[in-house]
Amino acid sequence: MIGKPHLLTYLYLFAYILLSSGVILYNKWVLSPKYFNFPFPITLTMIHMGFSGFVAFILIRVFKVVAPVKMTFEIYATCVIPISAFFASSLWFGNTAYLHISVAFIQMLKALMPVATFLMAVICGTDILRCDVFLNMLLVSVGVVISSYGEINFNVVGTLYQVTGIFAEALRLVLTQVLLQKKGLTLNPITSLYYIAPCSFVFLFIPWYLLEMPEMEVSQIQFNSWIFFSNALSALALNFSIFLVIGRTGAVTIRVAGVLKDWILIALSTVIFPESTITGLNITGYAIALCGVVMYNYLKVKDVRASQIPLESIPERATKDWKLEKKSSDLYTPNISDDSLSNGGRSDQNIDEETPLVVPSRLSHIGRSQLSSHTA
């Protein structure tokens, strides 16, 4: 019989998969001219950021659920602002892609996330160029190219928007490692929303004022407050579901759940949006890319295991060596679990692009995507 802790974990995983898929499909439905017809992705993203920032403010300043971190002007200017800028860009471009390409194809393109993060990490000096990892990245890229070639409704503009959003998100992840973590600043989901969401809102205001506000003034748009409230609430709930999942599972479990979510989302999108058709070449290319992602994750797990430091102190080790004969069985071998794998360093990419969170340290070294108001 399944114990209560395990049952709770499965419920959290189910909630994450349900909310992540729901937010993506909801965004597509709201933005698509064929359905709700609100073709203003920057406006939608600003609604998400404004709502998330407001809720975080209430939780911290009114209900005092968590305490704000020690934030100086220097840290805010050099860390929060650039991270928020790239985060706002990733959401802007990712949401705009929904206007041009299908949800299924977007999920296939997101397989490029490890490639983008690895390239940004190498450029920024936080990772080194290795032959085995490079070959995996090449396999992922080939798979995505094949999948794109098989896309019936291929759109260059939409593809460029999505790929640009992926690289912006990858740069945000690397900047989080280089800037925030080097200063010893850790943000939980609530504090990250508290600091990053308002700043992202400000960055989005400029392109909104130049690109979307003039169109909104002359077009006949429908603004249903309940639709946008429920949409923003779903995105916020997704953030917290990810936080709960991270707290109860290891990074490998999260990645498996993410892959399962992608396949479910691809299948659902073809049912909910009939125009979103997929071909055999689409699936073949995505399967090849996924093989590259799995191999990349395996290499990262091996790296973490190889870098594990024995927990015994030097004096304890010396005492043991003095008392015991030197046998191979005397050597300390760390017991590595999913949780221990997720404790060193930082993740190569976000767990879900649908979330505006600074990636928690528990996600260390496990790659593959998807933290987007692409969604919110």
Side-chain angles (χ1 to χ4, degrees), residues 10-45:
Y10 292 141
L11 286 175
Y12 288 161
L13 285 168
F14 176 75
Y16 156 66
I17 293 173
L18 181 66
L19 286 168
S20 182
S21 302
V23 168
I24 293 173
L25 295 172
Y26 203 169
N27 282 353
K28 173 67 174 180
W29 181 81
V30 169
L31 293 169
S32 176
K34 294 183 179 180
Y35 299 96
F36 187 71
N37 191 24
F38 186 80
F40 301 104
I42 305 176
T43 306
L44 182 66
T45 308

Short mmCIF file of all heavy atoms in Angstrom, two decimals, residues 10-45:
data_model
loop_
_atom_site.label_atom_id
_atom_site.label_comp_id
_atom_site.label_asym_id
_atom_site.label_seq_id
_atom_site.Cartn_x
_atom_site.Cartn_y
_atom_site.Cartn_z
N TYR A 10 3.27 12.03 -5.20
CA TYR A 10 2.60 11.79 -6.47
C TYR A 10 1.56 12.87 -6.77
O TYR A 10 1.39 13.29 -7.92
CB TYR A 10 1.93 10.41 -6.46
CG TYR A 10 2.89 9.26 -6.43
CD1 TYR A 10 2.63 8.12 -5.66
CD2 TYR A 10 4.08 9.29 -7.16
CE1 TYR A 10 3.53 7.05 -5.63
CE2 TYR A 10 4.98 8.25 -7.13
CZ TYR A 10 4.69 7.13 -6.36
OH TYR A 10 5.59 6.09 -6.33
N LEU A 11 0.88 13.32 -5.73
CA LEU A 11 -0.11 14.39 -5.92
C LEU A 11 0.57 15.69 -6.35
O LEU A 11 0.06 16.41 -7.23
CB LEU A 11 -0.88 14.63 -4.61
CG LEU A 11 -1.93 13.56 -4.25
CD1 LEU A 11 -2.53 13.86 -2.88
CD2 LEU A 11 -3.02 13.48 -5.31
N TYR A 12 1.72 16.00 -5.76
CA TYR A 12 2.47 17.20 -6.16
C TYR A 12 2.94 17.10 -7.60
O TYR A 12 2.88 18.07 -8.36
CB TYR A 12 3.67 17.41 -5.23
CG TYR A 12 3.32 17.87 -3.84
CD1 TYR A 12 4.22 17.74 -2.79
CD2 TYR A 12 2.08 18.45 -3.56
CE1 TYR A 12 3.91 18.17 -1.50
CE2 TYR A 12 1.76 18.88 -2.28
CZ TYR A 12 2.67 18.74 -1.26
OH TYR A 12 2.36 19.17 0.00
N LEU A 13 3.43 15.90 -7.98
CA LEU A 13 3.88 15.70 -9.36
C LEU A 13 2.71 15.84 -10.33
O LEU A 13 2.84 16.45 -11.40
CB LEU A 13 4.53 14.32 -9.51
CG LEU A 13 5.93 14.15 -8.93
CD1 LEU A 13 6.32 12.69 -8.90
CD2 LEU A 13 6.94 14.96 -9.73
N PHE A 14 1.57 15.27 -9.96
CA PHE A 14 0.38 15.38 -10.80
C PHE A 14 -0.04 16.84 -10.94
O PHE A 14 -0.39 17.29 -12.04
CB PHE A 14 -0.76 14.56 -10.20
CG PHE A 14 -2.06 14.68 -10.95
CD1 PHE A 14 -2.24 14.04 -12.16
CD2 PHE A 14 -3.09 15.47 -10.45
CE1 PHE A 14 -3.43 14.16 -12.86
CE2 PHE A 14 -4.28 15.59 -11.14
CZ PHE A 14 -4.46 14.94 -12.34
N ALA A 15 0.00 17.59 -9.82
CA ALA A 15 -0.37 19.00 -9.87
C ALA A 15 0.58 19.79 -10.76
O ALA A 15 0.15 20.66 -11.53
CB ALA A 15 -0.38 19.58 -8.45
N TYR A 16 1.88 19.49 -10.68
CA TYR A 16 2.86 20.18 -11.52
C TYR A 16 2.59 19.92 -13.00
O TYR A 16 2.55 20.85 -13.82
CB TYR A 16 4.28 19.73 -11.16
CG TYR A 16 5.27 19.91 -12.28
CD1 TYR A 16 5.62 21.19 -12.72
CD2 TYR A 16 5.83 18.81 -12.93
CE1 TYR A 16 6.51 21.37 -13.77
CE2 TYR A 16 6.72 18.98 -13.97
CZ TYR A 16 7.05 20.25 -14.39
OH TYR A 16 7.92 20.42 -15.43
N ILE A 17 2.39 18.63 -13.36
CA ILE A 17 2.15 18.29 -14.77
C ILE A 17 0.86 18.94 -15.25
O ILE A 17 0.79 19.50 -16.36
CB ILE A 17 2.09 16.76 -14.94
CG1 ILE A 17 3.47 16.14 -14.68
CG2 ILE A 17 1.61 16.38 -16.34
CD1 ILE A 17 3.48 14.62 -14.67
N LEU A 18 -0.18 18.89 -14.42
CA LEU A 18 -1.47 19.46 -14.79
C LEU A 18 -1.38 20.98 -14.97
O LEU A 18 -1.85 21.54 -15.98
CB LEU A 18 -2.51 19.12 -13.73
CG LEU A 18 -3.94 19.62 -13.98
CD1 LEU A 18 -4.53 18.92 -15.20
CD2 LEU A 18 -4.82 19.39 -12.75
N LEU A 19 -0.75 21.67 -14.01
CA LEU A 19 -0.67 23.13 -14.06
C LEU A 19 0.25 23.60 -15.18
O LEU A 19 -0.06 24.57 -15.88
CB LEU A 19 -0.18 23.67 -12.72
CG LEU A 19 -1.20 23.63 -11.57
CD1 LEU A 19 -0.53 23.91 -10.24
CD2 LEU A 19 -2.32 24.64 -11.82
N SER A 20 1.38 22.93 -15.35
CA SER A 20 2.32 23.33 -16.40
C SER A 20 1.68 23.20 -17.78
O SER A 20 1.77 24.10 -18.62
CB SER A 20 3.59 22.49 -16.32
OG SER A 20 4.53 22.90 -17.29
N SER A 21 1.02 22.05 -18.02
CA SER A 21 0.34 21.85 -19.30
C SER A 21 -0.81 22.84 -19.45
O SER A 21 -1.01 23.42 -20.53
CB SER A 21 -0.20 20.42 -19.40
OG SER A 21 0.84 19.48 -19.25
N GLY A 22 -1.55 23.05 -18.36
CA GLY A 22 -2.70 23.95 -18.42
C GLY A 22 -2.32 25.39 -18.72
O GLY A 22 -3.00 26.07 -19.51
N VAL A 23 -1.24 25.87 -18.10
CA VAL A 23 -0.81 27.26 -18.33
C VAL A 23 -0.41 27.47 -19.79
O VAL A 23 -0.77 28.47 -20.41
CB VAL A 23 0.35 27.62 -17.39
CG1 VAL A 23 1.00 28.94 -17.81
CG2 VAL A 23 -0.15 27.74 -15.95
N ILE A 24 0.32 26.52 -20.35
CA ILE A 24 0.75 26.64 -21.74
C ILE A 24 -0.46 26.65 -22.69
O ILE A 24 -0.57 27.50 -23.58
CB ILE A 24 1.71 25.50 -22.11
CG1 ILE A 24 3.02 25.64 -21.33
CG2 ILE A 24 2.01 25.50 -23.61
CD1 ILE A 24 3.97 24.47 -21.50
N LEU A 25 -1.36 25.70 -22.49
CA LEU A 25 -2.54 25.63 -23.35
C LEU A 25 -3.45 26.85 -23.16
O LEU A 25 -4.03 27.36 -24.12
CB LEU A 25 -3.32 24.34 -23.05
CG LEU A 25 -2.60 23.03 -23.39
CD1 LEU A 25 -3.39 21.84 -22.86
CD2 LEU A 25 -2.38 22.90 -24.90
N TYR A 26 -3.55 27.32 -21.93
CA TYR A 26 -4.36 28.49 -21.63
C TYR A 26 -3.80 29.72 -22.33
O TYR A 26 -4.54 30.51 -22.95
CB TYR A 26 -4.41 28.71 -20.12
CG TYR A 26 -5.60 29.49 -19.60
CD1 TYR A 26 -5.87 29.55 -18.24
CD2 TYR A 26 -6.45 30.17 -20.47
CE1 TYR A 26 -6.96 30.26 -17.75
CE2 TYR A 26 -7.54 30.88 -19.99
CZ TYR A 26 -7.79 30.93 -18.63
OH TYR A 26 -8.86 31.63 -18.16
N ASN A 27 -2.48 29.89 -22.25
CA ASN A 27 -1.85 31.04 -22.93
C ASN A 27 -2.08 31.00 -24.44
O ASN A 27 -2.36 32.02 -25.07
CB ASN A 27 -0.34 31.05 -22.64
CG ASN A 27 -0.02 31.59 -21.27
OD1 ASN A 27 -0.89 32.08 -20.56
ND2 ASN A 27 1.22 31.49 -20.87
N LYS A 28 -1.94 29.80 -24.99
CA LYS A 28 -2.16 29.66 -26.43
C LYS A 28 -3.59 30.03 -26.78
O LYS A 28 -3.84 30.74 -27.77
CB LYS A 28 -1.86 28.20 -26.85
CG LYS A 28 -2.21 27.87 -28.29
CD LYS A 28 -1.33 28.61 -29.28
CE LYS A 28 -1.62 28.14 -30.70
NZ LYS A 28 -0.79 28.85 -31.71
N TRP A 29 -4.55 29.58 -25.98
CA TRP A 29 -5.96 29.85 -26.25
C TRP A 29 -6.26 31.35 -26.15
O TRP A 29 -6.99 31.89 -26.97
CB TRP A 29 -6.82 29.07 -25.25
CG TRP A 29 -8.30 29.26 -25.45
CD1 TRP A 29 -9.09 28.64 -26.36
CD2 TRP A 29 -9.14 30.16 -24.73
NE1 TRP A 29 -10.39 29.08 -26.25
CE2 TRP A 29 -10.46 30.01 -25.26
CE3 TRP A 29 -8.94 31.06 -23.69
CZ2 TRP A 29 -11.53 30.75 -24.77
CZ3 TRP A 29 -10.01 31.79 -23.19
CH2 TRP A 29 -11.30 31.63 -23.74
N VAL A 30 -5.68 32.01 -25.15
CA VAL A 30 -5.91 33.45 -24.96
C VAL A 30 -5.31 34.25 -26.11
O VAL A 30 -5.93 35.18 -26.65
CB VAL A 30 -5.33 33.93 -23.62
CG1 VAL A 30 -5.34 35.46 -23.54
CG2 VAL A 30 -6.14 33.35 -22.46
N LEU A 31 -4.10 33.89 -26.53
CA LEU A 31 -3.38 34.68 -27.52
C LEU A 31 -3.82 34.40 -28.96
O LEU A 31 -3.72 35.28 -29.82
CB LEU A 31 -1.87 34.43 -27.40
CG LEU A 31 -1.20 34.93 -26.12
CD1 LEU A 31 0.22 34.38 -26.01
CD2 LEU A 31 -1.16 36.46 -26.09
N SER A 32 -4.28 33.20 -29.23
CA SER A 32 -4.57 32.80 -30.60
C SER A 32 -5.73 33.60 -31.20
O SER A 32 -6.80 33.72 -30.60
CB SER A 32 -4.90 31.31 -30.66
OG SER A 32 -5.27 30.94 -31.97
N PRO A 33 -5.55 34.14 -32.41
CA PRO A 33 -6.63 34.86 -33.10
C PRO A 33 -7.82 33.96 -33.41
O PRO A 33 -8.93 34.45 -33.63
CB PRO A 33 -5.96 35.35 -34.39
CG PRO A 33 -4.49 35.36 -34.07
CD PRO A 33 -4.27 34.22 -33.14
N LYS A 34 -7.62 32.63 -33.43
CA LYS A 34 -8.69 31.71 -33.75
C LYS A 34 -9.59 31.41 -32.55
O LYS A 34 -10.66 30.80 -32.71
CB LYS A 34 -8.11 30.39 -34.29
CG LYS A 34 -7.39 30.55 -35.62
CD LYS A 34 -6.91 29.18 -36.12
CE LYS A 34 -6.22 29.33 -37.47
NZ LYS A 34 -5.75 28.01 -37.98
N TYR A 35 -9.17 31.82 -31.36
CA TYR A 35 -9.94 31.46 -30.16
C TYR A 35 -10.33 32.71 -29.38
O TYR A 35 -11.19 33.46 -29.80
CB TYR A 35 -9.15 30.44 -29.33
CG TYR A 35 -8.90 29.17 -30.09
CD1 TYR A 35 -7.68 28.96 -30.77
CD2 TYR A 35 -9.88 28.19 -30.21
CE1 TYR A 35 -7.47 27.82 -31.52
CE2 TYR A 35 -9.67 27.03 -30.95
CZ TYR A 35 -8.47 26.85 -31.60
OH TYR A 35 -8.25 25.74 -32.35
N PHE A 36 -9.69 32.98 -28.25
CA PHE A 36 -10.08 34.16 -27.48
C PHE A 36 -9.69 35.45 -28.19
O PHE A 36 -10.31 36.49 -28.01
CB PHE A 36 -9.42 34.11 -26.09
CG PHE A 36 -9.88 35.19 -25.16
CD1 PHE A 36 -11.16 35.19 -24.62
CD2 PHE A 36 -9.04 36.25 -24.84
CE1 PHE A 36 -11.58 36.19 -23.78
CE2 PHE A 36 -9.44 37.26 -23.99
CZ PHE A 36 -10.73 37.23 -23.45
N ASN A 37 -8.66 35.38 -29.00
CA ASN A 37 -8.24 36.51 -29.84
C ASN A 37 -7.79 37.73 -29.03
O ASN A 37 -8.34 38.82 -29.15
CB ASN A 37 -9.36 36.91 -30.81
CG ASN A 37 -8.85 37.87 -31.88
OD1 ASN A 37 -7.66 37.90 -32.19
ND2 ASN A 37 -9.76 38.65 -32.45
N PHE A 38 -6.74 37.51 -28.24
CA PHE A 38 -6.09 38.62 -27.54
C PHE A 38 -4.61 38.57 -27.94
O PHE A 38 -3.75 38.12 -27.19
CB PHE A 38 -6.25 38.48 -26.02
CG PHE A 38 -5.71 39.65 -25.24
CD1 PHE A 38 -6.46 40.81 -25.11
CD2 PHE A 38 -4.47 39.59 -24.63
CE1 PHE A 38 -5.96 41.89 -24.39
CE2 PHE A 38 -3.97 40.66 -23.92
CZ PHE A 38 -4.72 41.80 -23.79
N PRO A 39 -4.29 39.03 -29.16
CA PRO A 39 -2.94 38.84 -29.71
C PRO A 39 -1.93 39.86 -29.18
O PRO A 39 -1.23 40.52 -29.96
CB PRO A 39 -3.17 39.02 -31.22
CG PRO A 39 -4.30 39.99 -31.29
CD PRO A 39 -5.19 39.70 -30.11
N PHE A 40 -1.85 39.98 -27.86
CA PHE A 40 -0.93 40.93 -27.25
C PHE A 40 -0.10 40.23 -26.18
O PHE A 40 -0.41 40.30 -24.99
CB PHE A 40 -1.71 42.11 -26.65
CG PHE A 40 -2.54 42.86 -27.65
CD1 PHE A 40 -3.92 42.69 -27.68
CD2 PHE A 40 -1.95 43.71 -28.56
CE1 PHE A 40 -4.69 43.37 -28.60
CE2 PHE A 40 -2.71 44.40 -29.50
CZ PHE A 40 -4.08 44.23 -29.52
N PRO A 41 0.94 39.52 -26.61
CA PRO A 41 1.73 38.71 -25.66
C PRO A 41 2.44 39.53 -24.59
O PRO A 41 2.59 39.06 -23.46
CB PRO A 41 2.73 37.99 -26.57
CG PRO A 41 2.79 38.81 -27.82
CD PRO A 41 1.43 39.39 -27.99
N ILE A 42 2.88 40.72 -24.92
CA ILE A 42 3.56 41.55 -23.91
C ILE A 42 2.57 41.95 -22.82
O ILE A 42 2.89 41.91 -21.63
CB ILE A 42 4.20 42.80 -24.54
CG1 ILE A 42 5.16 42.40 -25.67
CG2 ILE A 42 4.96 43.60 -23.49
CD1 ILE A 42 5.76 43.59 -26.40
N THR A 43 1.36 42.32 -23.22
CA THR A 43 0.33 42.68 -22.25
C THR A 43 0.02 41.51 -21.33
O THR A 43 -0.09 41.68 -20.10
CB THR A 43 -0.95 43.12 -22.98
OG1 THR A 43 -0.65 44.17 -23.90
CG2 THR A 43 -1.99 43.61 -21.98
N LEU A 44 -0.13 40.31 -21.91
CA LEU A 44 -0.42 39.13 -21.10
C LEU A 44 0.71 38.86 -20.10
O LEU A 44 0.46 38.55 -18.93
CB LEU A 44 -0.62 37.92 -22.01
CG LEU A 44 -1.00 36.61 -21.30
CD1 LEU A 44 -2.37 36.73 -20.65
CD2 LEU A 44 -0.96 35.44 -22.27
N THR A 45 1.95 38.99 -20.57
CA THR A 45 3.09 38.76 -19.69
C THR A 45 3.15 39.80 -18.58
O THR A 45 3.47 39.48 -17.43
CB THR A 45 4.40 38.79 -20.50
OG1 THR A 45 4.28 37.89 -21.63
CG2 THR A 45 5.58 38.36 -19.66
#
